[in-house]
Amino acid sequence: MMSEKVGGAEGTKLDEDFKELERKADVTSKAVVDVIGKTSEYLQPNPASRAKLTMLNTMSKIRGQVNSPGYPQPEGLLGESMTKYGRDIGEDNSFGGALVDVGEAMKRLAEVKDSLDIDVKQNFIDPLQAVADKDIKDIQHHLKKLEGRRLDYDYKKKRQGKIPDDEIRQSLEKFHESKEMAECSMQNLLETDVEQVSQLSAFVESLLQYHRQATEILEEVTERLKERLNEAQSRPKREFKPKPRQSFDYGDEEQSNGGYSAGPVSPPAYTPAAQAQYPPPPVKRPSVKSKPREPSCKALYDFVPENDGELGFYEGEIITLVRQIDENWFEGRLRGQTGFFPNNYVEVIVPLSH
């Protein structure tokens, strides 16, 4: 090898038919490997979900042990959100009912997508992966062995006279043997085109079945939404009329307990003797809460944490600011807990010092 790479020595040449066969096998091998990866990305752009898709076992699916790929579909997550808030709003409300309708349709789409992922994995990705794991690796093994035996034969041939002829002849036979095995392995790969076309057909059939079922689901929910729209448009619009305001006068703070009274109440008259025996109570002044000195903010709305590390709070609570994560999130402390929350849910009272 060194004499060929450095000294420019010419080694044994392989025939053109072998080179053409090697070229075709190389292109086919690259196509199989790349299509496997791109198909998995097409089914699941999310890398974590794609890893779970790769781990699905074909035999368990054939036996009917797998009904779900083991990861949530985006359609299902959206459907859960729509149905939850649709029911919270109320199905008797036009918008709430429409959210529930679309949410249920999205959850059905997620089930159809699960079936697509499993079918494509079983009928397309797994067979191609078997080709990559066996046929392509066999070709690489035989080509590597062929190159080693070619170098061995060339080395001994150049030292003819110093090396026995039988040993050179034996080296040549091993070279031809490896060449034939490499040719057979490459030919076997190229002759699997019937199986590969069949697998592509199964892939397209799975896609077609998925889109047919998805179309049926979407057509059904479209008709339902049209009915809801017509129903909402035909319903008479209700005008909002605010209730008449009641006028109240402030009464005595001590008598009214801080509330309102229907009319003024005159303070009791005290005689000098009564005043001396029963002095009037001291006037209570409303206490003024001092402004917090440490960085803090006031909650404008309730915030319910949905992810680990988020800090929940109720409207009106004062939260101690720890730091600003980015332009949209703060880190704060409340009731002995620390976490993150969006800054549009609060009003800053004492800003963070920079």
Side-chain angles (χ1 to χ4, degrees):
M1 182 182 292
M2 288 295 296
S3 62
E4 289 181 8
K5 300 292 183 183
V6 180
E10 188 173 349
T12 301
K13 296 291 184 182
L14 296 168
D15 57 80
E16 292 300 322
D17 290 341
F18 183 89
K19 291 181 179 179
E20 178 63 17
L21 186 63
E22 186 179 12
R23 185 193 67 79
K24 291 180 179 179
D26 181 62
V27 172
T28 303
S29 300
K30 289 178 179 177
V32 168
V33 173
D34 195 56
V35 166
I36 290 174
K38 293 297 188 294
T39 304
S40 298
E41 290 179 18
Y42 165 74
L43 292 177
Q44 277 304 326
N46 185 315
S49 298
R50 191 158 64 243
K52 292 182 180 180
L53 174 66
T54 306
M55 291 187 292
L56 279 178
N57 185 277
T58 304
M59 291 306 297
S60 63
K61 292 197 300 294
I62 293 174
R63 295 169 186 163
Q65 297 174 357
V66 172
N67 298 319
S68 169
Y71 47 81
Q73 299 287 0
E75 295 88 343
L77 297 175
L78 177 58
E80 291 290 346
S81 174
M82 286 184 168
T83 52
K84 175 187 180 302
Y85 287 104
R87 293 191 176 105
D88 288 347
I89 294 172
E91 294 186 51
D92 54 339
N93 177 277
S94 297
F95 179 52
L99 272 178
V100 172
D101 290 341
V102 178
E104 293 296 340
M106 295 303 296
K107 289 194 284 187
R108 290 173 60 193
L109 285 176
E111 295 175 358
V112 175
K113 186 63 166 55
D114 284 344
S115 299
L116 172 68
D117 288 0
I118 294 174
D119 288 345
V120 172
K121 179 69 167 57
Q122 174 182 342
N123 300 318
F124 184 63
I125 295 179
D126 284 349
L128 285 183
Q129 190 64 53
V131 172
D133 292 341
K134 184 180 183 301
D135 296 350
I136 294 176
K137 286 185 178 180
D138 284 348
I139 292 172
Q140 294 171 345
H141 169 74
H142 290 307
L143 288 176
K144 185 176 181 180
K145 194 171 184 180
L146 172 63
E147 179 65 9
R149 288 186 170 179
R150 182 191 69 78
L151 291 171
D152 179 67
Y153 169 65
D154 287 346
Y155 173 81
K156 292 176 179 177
K157 184 175 65 172
K158 291 182 183 301
R159 284 155 182 76
Q160 194 171 8
K162 297 180 181 180
I163 296 178
D165 291 346
D166 288 344
E167 190 173 341
I168 297 175
R169 190 179 302 108
Q170 185 180 10
S171 179
L172 178 61
E173 289 176 358
K174 288 184 178 180
F175 167 69
H176 285 306
E177 178 186 344
S178 290
K179 181 173 177 290
E180 290 174 0
M181 293 181 71
E183 286 175 329
C184 287
S185 63
M186 291 187 291
Q187 193 64 40
N188 288 338
L189 174 65
L190 297 179
E191 287 179 353
T192 59
D193 55 350
V194 175
E195 289 86 351
Q196 291 158 0
V197 172
S198 175
Q199 291 152 13
L200 273 173
S201 177
F203 171 59
V204 174
E205 287 177 5
S206 296
L207 287 176
L208 182 59
Q209 181 69 11
Y210 164 73
H211 286 291
R212 279 176 177 164
Q213 293 178 344
T215 300
E216 291 176 3
I217 294 171
L218 294 175
E219 285 177 346
E220 288 178 12
V221 74
T222 299
E223 291 300 320
R224 181 65 183 139
L225 290 176
K226 286 180 180 178
E227 293 175 4
R228 286 194 177 275
L229 182 60
N230 293 333
E231 181 182 342
Q233 289 176 339
S234 61
R235 189 181 303 156
K237 187 176 181 180
R238 294 177 296 179
E239 293 185 6
F240 173 73
K241 293 184 178 180
K243 294 180 179 180
R245 298 180 180 180
Q246 290 179 304
S247 60
F248 293 95
D249 294 326
Y250 290 103
D252 181 68
E253 269 191 37
E254 294 299 319
Q255 300 297 325
S256 66
N257 196 26
Y260 297 108
S261 60
V265 179
S266 301
Y270 292 98
T271 64
Q275 288 184 0
Q277 185 177 0
Y278 303 102
V283 177
K284 292 184 178 180
R285 300 183 179 273
S287 61
V288 179
K289 294 184 179 179
S290 60
K291 191 176 182 180
R293 295 181 180 180
E294 58 183 349
S296 58
C297 61
K298 180 179 180 181
L300 299 176
Y301 319 100
D302 295 349
F303 177 65
V304 180
E306 297 181 354
N307 302 299
D308 293 339
E310 293 181 348
L311 179 68
F313 48 76
Y314 297 104
E315 178 184 352
E317 289 191 294
I318 304 299
I319 306 156
T320 301
L321 292 175
V322 176
R323 63 190 177 108
Q324 184 166 1
I325 306 299
D326 55 27
E327 60 182 5
N328 298 317
W329 289 81
F330 283 133
E331 180 180 2
R333 185 170 57 254
L334 178 65
R335 297 189 297 273
Q337 295 183 347
T338 303
F340 311 109
F341 56 89
N343 59 13
N344 58 351
Y345 273 65
V346 299
E347 177 186 9
V348 175
I349 301 174
V350 179
L352 289 159
S353 58
H354 295 285

